[in-house]
Amino acid sequence: MLGGESVPVASPPQSSRLVLMVSGLVALTLVLGIAAVALATYGESTSAWWPAAGTAVIAVLLAPRRTWAWVIAALLVATAASNLVAGRDLGLSLAFAVTNALEAWVVAWLLTRRGAAPRLATVREVTTLIVAAIAGAAVAGVGAGSAVALIEGEPWWSTAFSVFPSHLSAVLTVVPIALARRSEARSTGSALRWIQPWALGIAVVLVFGTPAQLPITFVLFPMLMWGAFALSMRALAIELVVTAAAVTTFTMLGTGPFALEDWGVLERRIVVQGFLWTFVASTLYVSAARIEQLTAVTRVRRREELLRSGILGAPIGMLLLREDDNGRLWIIESNARARRSLGLTAATGSGMEAPIDLAATDEGTQAVVEAVHASTGSDDADDGDRAASVDVSVAGRMLELTATRMDPEDEDTLVIVQVGDVTEQRQHLRAVRQALAAEKEAVATLRAADREREEFVASVSHELRTPITSIVGFVEVLLDEEDVNPVQRRHLEIVERNARRLGGLVEDILALTVATTARRAACDVSRLAADAVQDVSTGAEQRRVSIVMRDSPATFVVGVRADLERILINLLSNAAKFSPPGSTVHVAIDRQGDPVRLTITDEGPGIPADQLEHVFGRFQRGTFATENQVPGVGLGLAMVRELAHRNDFTVRLVSDGEHGTTAVVEMPRSPSPDFTT
């Protein structure tokens, strides 16, 4: 691969082949140099055409960049030897060798300075070659002119103006042979393209092999343009080398339109070489443009094939339509799924366009027309493309057609229509909506029933509260009588105890079912906890359970006072109820942070970890309470959790399941003792 560093380190056979190729090019440079010097005009220090410049550049390009120094050294030796063998003196031979080696390096460096391998597949790459050739020829001209002026004392400009065109045309004609790629330089003409080299050869002989006049030189250009369109780049490059050599040779022999007697040697060289690099550059540009065109056509064809295969193999229905200037639609391509869904009978898929009858009455055609018309008025797409979706019914099936329009400025409009069968999807959506409506109705019914239940429970609870209060009151009056005997007193105490229990149950039910309208305010939790301890202690002492609270200064939290009192009473009653005789319930308040934390710790049997949340449910009781028939219905903790949520408190239980339980209540700290919300 050409291009210096892009050549990898090859295996031994490839490396040997590369060395042979470079060595062969160096040897060819030697042979061509000898021939060019030998054919130089008598008495001239330079040659009319120097094809060795082209082979030297190819030798440098072919070698890896790390070996350029060795290749250039070999070219120095070969070029010096060619000049010496042809009869030039040592000093001039060495000077020309240095000049030619420097020219080869400059051209090769300019062609590979971007790091990629040079080629001639685009107009830009041809321009790069021409610029590199001009730079190299300028180096050769200045170097050769200076050498002749210093060594032989001749004017440098005459040599420079003689060397520059000869080296420029040589590089432009020889180097393209190496830059042409097989994959990019295939012949594209018909079978008649093989006639072109013969026609060009005849034209060269007729124009330059006879004493022809200047105007007929134009005959070569049609032949070369024919070659640019019909031949591969490599074949064209070889043809250019042969043509340049023939034109130069005929002119040096005194024939052709440039061998005029009134022209000097320098003038003749400049005109001939100018003619050569003019037709070489023109031909290379045309050939490169042709390759770019073919590449673009191939790319478009591949994309078209990809689009066609994408449409035919799409998992949904696909239609590719063309809309002409008259608004008529043509089916360019479609897949079987789209034709089957829409019921279209147009035979598409073989690259043949089929028209759509806009006046047709069948459902499928009308659906396509409707989708296309909908996309005409859509402004939702970007980059000039417009899309719209329509739902249509075809043969009892619900289809969703999405049409996307692409409006090129200089071509007919293209429309891509995607056809999706959404029958099941719409049915499922309809069923979901119906189920959702039924669920909403059921929720509304349940809410109404729950509201009625709450109202019923509240009403019953209120009705029960009055008689229970009366029972407790009259029992207390009877207990105060002195003539009550012990048996009667014991019976009255049982009545009082159960009445109070029933009253507590009614209060719990009311707390759970009736929303409070009280406003939150600053509450001294220390004072409320102390009062609750005093209220519960009387009953706890009967069970020989003591309740101890650490002394705590006033600590204000935000909440409803009645709710907080009921939370504390229920938690303390629970702790006392489940504590064994002789145990102690500890109450503590941590007032350091926010929220304020209150803990109530008992020495009861504990609650298993998997039941710590379960016991907060309504009518839910722990295993110990159920197995030991502890009095209660399972509403106390449920009421505590409900009241806590109502006041933005958090409440939880902590226990290892064996040794006691700790109830933790966290309450937001009040900003001031007078705070109210």
Side-chain angles (χ1 to χ4, degrees):
M1 187 176 183
L2 300 180
E5 291 298 339
S6 59
V7 178
V9 178
S11 58
Q14 294 175 332
S15 179
S16 301
R17 181 183 177 187
L18 183 61
V19 171
L20 290 176
M21 292 177 64
V22 174
S23 301
L25 286 168
V26 173
L28 181 60
T29 301
L30 171 64
V31 174
L32 291 176
I34 295 173
V37 175
L39 294 175
T41 305
Y42 179 77
E44 293 292 326
S45 58
T46 58
S47 301
W49 193 50
W50 190 258
T55 57
V57 171
I58 295 175
V60 177
L61 287 175
L62 192 62
R65 190 182 289 269
R66 63 181 180 275
T67 63
W68 277 14
W70 295 100
V71 177
I72 290 174
L75 291 173
L76 276 170
V77 174
T79 307
S82 65
N83 282 276
L84 288 172
V85 171
R88 287 179 176 156
D89 58 55
L90 179 61
L92 195 60
S93 297
L94 292 176
F96 283 171
V98 173
T99 298
N100 291 333
L102 182 59
E103 174 193 17
W105 179 84
V106 168
V107 175
W109 180 81
L110 288 175
L111 290 177
T112 60
R113 65 189 180 90
R114 296 184 181 273
R119 58 179 191 173
L120 290 179
T122 65
V123 172
R124 181 176 180 178
E125 291 166 349
V126 173
T127 302
T128 301
L129 173 63
I130 292 175
V131 171
I134 292 174
V139 170
V142 172
S146 300
V148 171
L150 292 175
I151 296 174
E152 297 188 352
E154 296 182 4
W156 76 273
W157 61 269
S158 60
T159 301
F161 279 101
S162 175
V163 170
F164 176 80
S166 66
H167 281 240
L168 176 59
S169 63
V171 172
L172 286 180
T173 53
V174 176
V175 172
I177 297 176
L179 300 187
R181 297 283 193 279
R182 291 183 179 179
S183 60
E184 300 166 342
R186 299 186 183 278
S187 301
T188 57
S190 64
L192 296 177
R193 66 181 180 274
W194 303 113
I195 302 176
Q196 188 272 342
W198 296 98
L200 178 62
I202 294 172
V204 170
V205 172
L206 291 177
V207 174
F208 290 93
T210 60
Q213 296 298 317
L214 194 61
I216 67 171
T217 55
F218 71 87
V219 174
L220 265 66
F221 280 90
M223 302 298 173
L224 291 170
M225 294 303 104
W226 182 7
F229 277 89
L231 301 180
S232 67
M233 177 65 84
R234 181 159 293 170
L236 180 65
I238 295 174
E239 188 176 82
L240 291 176
V241 171
V242 175
T243 302
V247 170
T248 302
T249 302
F250 279 130
T251 303
M252 291 174 59
L253 294 177
T255 60
F258 302 128
L260 301 178
E261 295 180 357
D262 53 347
W263 281 3
V265 174
L266 179 60
E267 295 173 328
R268 188 178 302 171
R269 287 185 183 180
I270 293 176
V271 172
V272 170
Q273 301 306 322
F275 171 78
L276 289 178
W277 31 274
T278 298
F279 81 70
V280 169
S282 301
T283 305
L284 291 178
Y285 270 123
V286 172
S287 181
R290 176 62 173 166
I291 292 176
E292 284 187 318
Q293 179 191 22
L294 293 175
T295 302
V297 170
T298 302
R299 186 180 298 113
V300 170
R301 184 181 298 113
R302 288 177 179 173
R303 290 181 178 178
E304 182 179 348
E305 293 174 354
L306 180 61
L307 176 61
R308 188 183 302 274
S309 62
I311 291 176
L312 294 178
I316 63 173
M318 295 286 288
L319 287 171
L320 179 60
L321 308 177
R322 177 176 64 85
E323 185 179 33
D324 59 24
D325 295 336
N326 298 323
R328 191 174 186 185
L329 296 175
W330 299 77
I331 300 179
I332 300 176
E333 194 59 77
S334 65
N335 60 8
R337 189 182 296 270
R339 295 194 297 272
R340 184 171 56 253
S341 299
L342 296 171
L344 300 179
T345 58
T348 59
S350 58
M352 299 296 292
E353 294 188 5
I356 291 181
D357 185 4
L358 300 181
T361 58
D362 61 281
E363 293 178 330
T365 302
Q366 287 302 311
V368 174
V369 174
E370 181 181 350
V372 173
H373 287 170
S375 66
T376 304
S378 175
D379 298 324
D380 297 334
D382 300 329
D383 302 329
D385 297 345
R386 291 171 288 173
S389 296
V390 296
D391 289 345
V392 295
S393 178
V394 178
R397 305 290 292 178
M398 181 61 68
L399 304 179
E400 182 182 53
L401 274 63
T402 302
T404 304
R405 299 175 62 87
M406 294 171 285
D407 296 319
E409 296 181 357
D410 54 349
E411 296 181 6
D412 290 343
T413 299
L414 295 179
V415 184
I416 298 178
V417 179
Q418 302 179 32
V419 183
D421 190 337
V422 294
T423 304
E424 287 77 10
Q425 179 182 348
R426 294 291 190 270
Q427 291 174 349
H428 292 164
L429 181 60
R430 191 179 303 113
V432 169
R433 288 176 177 172
Q434 292 174 351
L436 182 59
E439 184 177 351
K440 288 182 178 179
E441 184 177 354
V443 169
T445 302
L446 290 175
R447 285 179 177 173
D450 189 59
R451 200 161 41 246
E452 292 178 359
R453 180 188 60 80
E454 290 182 353
E455 292 174 355
F456 171 76
V457 171
S459 176
V460 171
S461 299
H462 279 293
E463 293 298 326
L464 289 176
R465 180 186 287 178
T466 301
I468 291 173
T469 303
S470 298
I471 293 172
V472 173
F474 283 111
V475 168
E476 290 178 348
V477 171
L478 291 174
L479 287 173
D480 290 337
E481 295 292 333
E482 295 180 357
D483 56 349
V484 177
N485 60 50
V487 175
Q488 291 173 334
R489 184 175 297 279
R490 187 168 61 253
H491 291 167
L492 288 173
E493 288 176 352
I494 294 173
V495 172
E496 181 188 24
R497 185 167 60 253
N498 285 279
R500 290 186 182 279
R501 182 181 300 171
L502 182 59
L505 179 60
V506 169
E507 294 297 332
D508 287 346
I509 293 175
L510 284 173
L512 286 172
T513 58
V514 180
T516 182
T517 58
R519 300 178 62 185
R520 299 183 194 177
C523 304
D524 185 356
V525 67
S526 299
R527 176 65 180 273
L528 295 178
D531 292 344
V533 168
Q534 185 176 1
D535 292 343
V536 176
S537 292
T538 302
E541 290 175 355
Q542 296 177 357
R543 297 175 50 84
R544 294 188 295 119
V545 174
S546 60
I547 302 177
V548 178
M549 177 179 173
R550 299 177 187 174
D551 292 336
S552 175
T555 304
F556 291 92
V557 298
V558 178
V560 177
R561 180 186 179 92
D563 291 346
L564 183 54
E565 288 177 342
R566 195 146 194 86
I567 290 173
L568 295 173
I569 291 292
N570 273 271
L571 291 178
L572 286 171
S573 298
N574 246 26
K577 181 166 53 176
F578 287 97
S579 295
S583 62
T584 303
V585 175
H586 297 275
V587 180
I589 298 176
D590 182 3
R591 56 187 305 272
Q592 299 301 318
D594 187 6
V596 176
R597 179 178 299 175
L598 179 143
T599 58
I600 300 174
T601 304
D602 63 47
E603 297 177 0
I607 302 174
D610 59 348
Q611 297 182 22
L612 289 175
E613 282 297 319
H614 172 76
V615 295
F616 281 105
R618 295 185 181 186
F619 306 105
Q620 301 295 328
R621 312 192 71 197
T623 303
F624 180 84
T626 303
E627 293 177 351
N628 293 273
Q629 298 181 353
V630 178
V633 294
L635 282 179
L637 289 178
M639 185 271 298
V640 168
R641 175 66 64 86
E642 182 70 24
L643 295 178
H645 285 173
R646 186 184 299 176
N647 288 270
D648 292 332
F649 299 167
T650 60
V651 59
R652 67 180 187 276
L653 299 178
V654 179
S655 177
D656 61 2
E658 296 180 0
H659 306 94
T661 301
T662 299
V664 181
V665 183
E666 294 180 339
M667 300 154 286
R669 181 181 293 276
S670 174
S672 69
D674 300 326
F675 177 81
T676 301
T677 183

